[in-house]
Amino acid sequence: MGNEKAMLAAKSTIAKSVGNSNPLIDHHLGADPYALTYNGRVYIYMSSDNYEYNSNGTIKDNSFANLKSIFVISSEDMVNWTDHGAIPVAGANGLNGGQGIAKWAGNSWAPAAAVKNINGKDKFFLYFANGGAGIGVLTADSPIGPWSDPLGRALVTTNTPGMPGVVWLFDPAVFIDNDGTGYLYCGGGIPGDPRPTQAQQANPKTARVLRLGGDMISVVGSASTIDAPFMFEDSGMHKYNGVYYYSYCINFSGTHPSDKPAGEIGYMTSKSPMGPFTYAGHFLKNPGVFFRSGGNNHHCVFQFKNQWYVVYHAQTVSQALYGSGKGYRSPHINKLIHNSDGSIREVAADYAGVAQLSNLNPYQRVEAETIGWNGGILTERCYASGGPSYNQNVTGINNGDWIGLGNVDFGSQGARSFKANVASTSGGKIEVRLDSTSGTLVGTLTVPNTGGTQNWREVETSISGATGVHKLFFVFTGNGSGDLFKFDYWKFS
């Protein structure tokens, strides 16, 4: 009877329906996504969109006041995403609870990330915008940190050679060419505000490219201007067949010719990463065309496992919750196709997204915050020993909540046991099910009272009937209306 009750009580998803790949996550938000591929995983770095509330508890429109940290998620299959938590970037005036890394920065908008082998070791670089006032950089020895501030100040400001005339010094993109040279793209805005001329709207000349030093944390020479028509914001750079593609969000101002549509992602090409660039077309319509709520358009083009993609944001989760996006954004990925002549085909953005690229191996430690789909859960900082940097655990677990994972391969021999690292003051159960929240029950793990919400214990149960490839669901059950337990990682054997 208990199992039946749990099945009936299973929560629905917010915006990412079972079987779809978009939005990438819906247990929290994430804006201005940027992709870094490394060792068979893609890492997505995002501005920390978080809901803002009026005193009566209603949702405010997004004022971007919460963009003080950077969210990170990663995946090897494009369906199941591991939540790596929030990097506490902005540190001015005690921001991020005094844990902010860049003590000079009041904001961390629109991140960009790169990896470069320096002196035989891979080093990671995370660029961010301090509002519209400059670009900072953090460094780490892994794509998820821990991160540090090597300069103690901004890398690029309005005083950097070649930067005068940039209205909004933000939205960085970083690109490392085959010879190891790094380049930083940034800028935006329209001069002449509040009454720009048509000429200023059509050719703002506010995009810049800077050559980086070999250390990736210094600038060489003067910035060059990219004369991107109707430039608004959101620089991007990728290289395909020897051609450099600079992409950006087209502005909403003035009268636009048909080949430069307002609020879409346009692109320019060059034979050099520093330009000059020639306008070539557009490839991603405003998210409002596909997902109702429009707003700004922010993207990153990347290659992963021999296929090209674009990651972008849209207000799908907030729209599902509140009926209107209110400016709160979530990440999405769709395929990007270069035509034989080098032009880029219009992207078909949708909820279906990308088909799962590989099966998940259940016989290794998997972070519980690895999520294909979910009903009702949240994540938080985890203090269990032995976890990754900024380790998270699943929380907000109530009766009927669940997590689903796409295409888990149990093999022909099948699983015999399941263990999980859990913490609780009340206890509950994890029902292990195949294919759906009400699918075949292959085992039930009893979560005991461990004596504290961060007192972790590994518990185990037997499994039978789990063979082959299935979607995998953990359905959480228990008495009481509160947080039943915390969930750190799991593993089958």
Side-chain angles (χ1 to χ4, degrees), residues 1-13 374-376 398-402 431 433 437-438 475-478 480 484:
M1 189 63 197
N3 291 342
E4 194 176 302
K5 184 178 163 192
M7 286 161 19
L8 296 173
K11 307 283 194 310
S12 60
T13 61
N374 82 88
N398 296 288
N399 184 55
D401 290 351
W402 55 273
E431 296 183 350
R433 294 180 175 272
T437 54
S438 57
V475 180
F476 309 122
T477 67
L484 296 173

Side-chain angles (χ1 to χ4, degrees), residues 203-220:
N203 293 95
K205 296 182 171 62
T206 53
R208 297 288 186 274
V209 52
L210 307 101
R211 188 152 67 91
L212 296 171
D215 59 5
M216 298 292 287
I217 59 170
S218 59
V219 172
V220 178

Side-chain angles (χ1 to χ4, degrees), residues 213-356:
D215 59 5
M216 298 292 287
I217 59 170
S218 59
V219 172
V220 178
S222 178
S224 293
T225 299
I226 301 174
D227 186 8
F230 293 90
M231 169 70 186
F232 189 52
E233 59 184 0
D234 177 35
S235 289
M237 170 55 60
H238 73 280
K239 186 179 182 180
Y240 176 79
N241 278 357
V243 175
Y244 299 86
Y245 288 75
Y246 174 74
S247 45
Y248 63 100
C249 181
I250 295 168
N251 67 40
F252 297 83
S253 304
T255 305
H256 288 244
S258 60
D259 67 331
K260 300 170 184 77
E264 300 195 12
I265 302 299
Y267 69 101
M268 308 177 77
T269 59
S270 177
K271 291 293 185 185
S272 160
M274 298 282 289
F277 291 89
T278 303
Y279 186 80
H282 50 92
F283 63 82
L284 181 64
K285 290 182 168 63
N286 190 274
V289 173
F290 305 104
F291 304 107
R292 293 206 333 266
S293 293
N296 73 338
N297 200 354
H298 201 108
H299 79 296
C300 174
V301 173
F302 67 100
Q303 189 178 22
F304 183 56
K305 298 185 177 176
N306 299 314
Q307 170 68 47
W308 286 91
Y309 300 96
V310 61
V311 59
Y312 57 94
H313 67 210
Q315 299 175 45
T316 48
V317 175
S318 53
Q319 183 176 272
L321 283 173
Y322 301 110
S324 153
K326 295 187 178 296
Y328 296 97
R329 294 128 336 151
S330 296
H332 304 68
I333 292 175
N334 284 91
K335 279 188 178 180
L336 181 124
I337 295 169
H338 298 84
N339 296 314
S340 55
D341 64 357
S343 63
I344 301 177
R345 194 177 300 178
E346 279 278 349
V347 173
D350 58 18
Y351 282 99
V354 178
Q356 190 167 334

